[in-house]
Amino acid sequence: MTDTFRAEEARDFGFETRQLHAGQRPDPNTGARAVPIFQTTSYVFEDPESAAAYFNLQEYGNTYSRIMNPTVAVFEERVANLEGAMGGVAFASGIAAQAAALFTLLEPGDHVVSSAALYGGTVNQLKHLLRKMTVELTWVDPDDPDAWRAAVRPNTKAFFAETIGNPGGNVLDIETVAAIAHEHDLPLIVDNTFATPYLCRPIEWGADIVVHSATKFIGGHGTSIGGVVVEAGTFDWSNGRFPVIADPSPAYHGLQFHETFGTYGYLMKLRAETLRDLGGAMSPFNAFLFLQGLETLSLRMERHVANALTVAQFLDGHDLASHVTYAGLPGSRYRGLVEKYLPRGAGAVFSFDCAGGREGGQNLIRGVTLWSHLANVGDAKSLIIHPASTTHRQLSDAELEASGVRPGTVRLSVGTESVDDLLWDLEQGLTYVSKAA
Ligand SMILES: *Cc1c(COP(=O)(O)O)cnc(C)c1O
C-alpha cells in the first residue's frame, strides 16, 4: 500500500486537513512536499522472487501503471479518506469508473436496478453497454422506495443512483434506498459527483460503493477527465449472491478474491482484473491535477453553493424564469432530504425554464457573456447550456418532456465568481429573451 495518513491514528483530522494531507507523506527520497508526478509506465523489481510475489498479489507493489501508480495512489487514498471509504481505484473518466464498478460485480444474465434521473451519459451507458453484456436493467423513480423494492429480481446484483440527480435536482433518500438494497443482500452504488464528499458522504448513510466523475468539482477547473470508485468495505460479498467475487476466478488463475483479501476483495478484483482488462487507467499527470483540485474542495464548494442559492433565488423571483429545480430553495419538494443529507448546501447545478420556449433559451445563451456556453459542470467558472439545442437536440418536444427537459430549459453550473456579476450577466441576458418575447 502507499503511505497512509498515519498521523490520523493520533487524531481525527477535519475534512479541510484531510483534503490537503490524506494519503501522502513528503517524498522520503527527495523531501518533495507536493505529490510528485511519477510519470513512469513501469517499476524495476528487486529480484525475481519479489516480482513473482507482486504478480501473484501476495505482496502489494508497483508493477505497471495501467494497474497502479504512486501519484494516482495518493489521489485514490485521498478520495477514499474524504468519503469515509476503505480504499479506491481511479480511472481515466467518470464513465470508465462506473463501468468498472459494475463490471466487477456483474456476469451475463444479471440484472441492475437504476434510478431513471441520471446524467445523460450514464443513461446511455447503462442502456446500451449493459445490454451488450446481456445484463438486464430496470429504471425506477428514485423518489419512490416501493419502486426500488418491487424491481428486485433473483438475478439483481446492484442498485445505482445519484446523490443529486440530473436534471430535476432529485435528492436521493440514501438511507432508505440503502436499507432496501441490504434487505435483498445487494450493494447500493451512488454517483456522488454533484455533491462531492464535502457536501455529502453517502457511505455514512449506508451506500456501499461511491463513484465520481473527478472531471467536475473534484478537479474543479475544467482541465482534466477522470473518475474514481471507492468502497465502504462493509458489504458481505460472500452472502451467496456474488460467486463472481467469492468463487475462484478464472481470470486470475483461480484466485478467490473474497477469501484471500477479505473486505478488500471487491477492490482487489476491481484493480487486478477489471482495470487490468478494461484499461482506462488515470494518468499520473491528471492525478496530480485532481490532487490540486482536492486541496481546495471545501473552499470552492462553500462558494459554489452560496452562489448557486443566490442565483436560484434570483431566478425563482424572475418574471422570465420558472421551474427552478435547485433543491436548496426553501420551497423545494426535497427540502427535508436536503436538511438531512446536504446540510451544507444542495450543490451548484440546476436548471430552470426560460420564457419564450426554445427561442427564449437560445436568446439567453446568445445574450450572456460571462457564463460559458459549454457541455460540462463543476468548473470554478460559471457554465450554461440549452439542452434542447445541444445535448437533447435529437428529441421531439414530447420526448424532451419525458426526459424532464422542456424547450426553454436552461442548465446552469454556478461557479465561484463574484455573485453580483453572475446576476448582472443573467439579467442582461434575459433582456434578449424579453425583446424576442
Ligand atoms: C460527467 C458525469 C459523469 C461522467 O463522467 P466523465 O468524467 O465525463 O466520464 C458521470 N456522472 C455524473 C453525475 C457526471 O456529471
Side-chain angles (χ1 to χ4, degrees), residues 93-95 98 119 122 162 191 193-194 213 215-216 225-226:
S93 69
I95 280 288
Q98 295 172 181
Y119 168 77
T122 309
E162 293 175 357
D191 179 342
T193 300
F194 277 24
S213 168
T215 312
K216 313 298 165 51
I225 305 280

Side-chain angles (χ1 to χ4, degrees), residues 100-107 157 187 209 231 235-250 254-270 273-274:
L102 287 165
F103 276 28
T104 302
L105 54 82
L106 291 175
E107 289 191 292
K157 293 298 158 76
I209 295 170
E231 196 213 355
F235 188 80
D236 179 11
W237 298 101
S238 65
N239 66 15
R241 267 212 194 237
F242 296 92
V244 69
I245 292 170
D247 287 359
S249 172
L255 188 68
Q256 287 174 277
F257 279 91
H258 182 76
E259 191 181 283
T260 311
F261 301 107
T263 50
Y264 274 96
Y266 171 86
L267 284 171
M268 286 300 282
K269 190 177 171 80
L270 177 65
E273 278 186 17
T274 316

Side-chain angles (χ1 to χ4, degrees), residues 116-128:
L118 297 176
Y119 168 77
T122 309
V123 172
N124 282 334
Q125 178 183 54
L126 295 183
K127 209 154 102 186
H128 303 297

Side-chain angles (χ1 to χ4, degrees), residues 356 359-360 363 430-437:
E359 209 194 327
N363 282 335
L430 284 164
T431 62
Y432 288 76
V433 175
S434 59
K435 274 180 210 149

Side-chain angles (χ1 to χ4, degrees), residues 173-414:
D173 187 347
I174 304 170
E175 196 170 28
T176 299
V177 175
I180 297 167
H182 297 161
E183 275 167 31
H184 299 279
D185 297 327
L186 297 170
L188 170 63
I189 306 175
V190 174
D191 179 342
N192 198 33
T193 300
F194 277 24
T196 80
Y198 182 65
L199 299 179
C200 179
R201 288 172 296 282
I203 286 171
E204 291 176 359
W205 301 103
D208 302 285
I209 295 170
V210 171
V211 296
H212 276 281
S213 168
T215 312
K216 313 298 165 51
F217 295 98
I218 286 179
H221 299 81
T223 62
S224 325
I225 305 280
V228 61
V229 180
V230 300
E231 196 213 355
T234 46
F235 188 80
D236 179 11
W237 298 101
S238 65
N239 66 15
R241 267 212 194 237
F242 296 92
V244 69
I245 292 170
D247 287 359
S249 172
Y252 218 103
H253 48 69
L255 188 68
Q256 287 174 277
F257 279 91
H258 182 76
E259 191 181 283
T260 311
F261 301 107
T263 50
Y264 274 96
Y266 171 86
L267 284 171
M268 286 300 282
K269 190 177 171 80
L270 177 65
R271 183 185 302 282
E273 278 186 17
T274 316
L275 181 56
R276 180 197 68 184
D277 296 344
L278 279 182
M282 177 178 283
S283 78
F285 185 66
N286 279 6
F288 173 83
L289 291 172
F290 291 130
L291 285 163
Q292 295 296 109
L294 281 176
E295 292 200 353
T296 57
L297 181 66
S298 67
L299 301 168
R300 286 182 290 107
M301 292 316 292
E302 280 169 5
R303 174 64 79 96
H304 274 294
V305 297
N307 281 3
L309 182 59
T310 305
V311 170
Q313 280 167 332
F314 164 81
L315 290 169
D316 201 33
H318 202 288
D319 289 347
L320 297 172
S322 61
H323 292 94
V324 182
T325 64
Y326 191 55
L329 284 173
S332 164
R333 58 184 287 218
Y334 298 106
R335 181 173 188 166
L337 294 172
V338 168
E339 279 167 6
K340 176 168 178 176
Y341 297 111
L342 297 158
R344 289 167 150 160
V349 181
F350 64 91
S351 64
F352 70 99
D353 287 4
C354 191
R358 195 175 290 258
E359 209 194 327
Q362 289 175 345
N363 282 335
L364 173 63
I365 302 277
R366 286 192 193 100
V368 291
T369 55
L370 191 55
W371 294 75
S372 302
H373 177 207
L374 56 78
N376 189 26
V377 298
D379 195 317
K381 296 169 277 297
S382 287
L383 316 175
I384 189 167
I385 196 159
H386 180 229
S389 51
T390 54
T391 51
H392 293 62
R393 172 162 202 94
Q394 277 78 15
L395 307 188
S396 67
D397 284 3
E399 287 171 321
L400 281 182
E401 183 75 41
S403 60
V405 174
R406 284 164 296 275
T409 300
V410 170
R411 190 188 67 195
L412 303 178
S413 174
V414 182

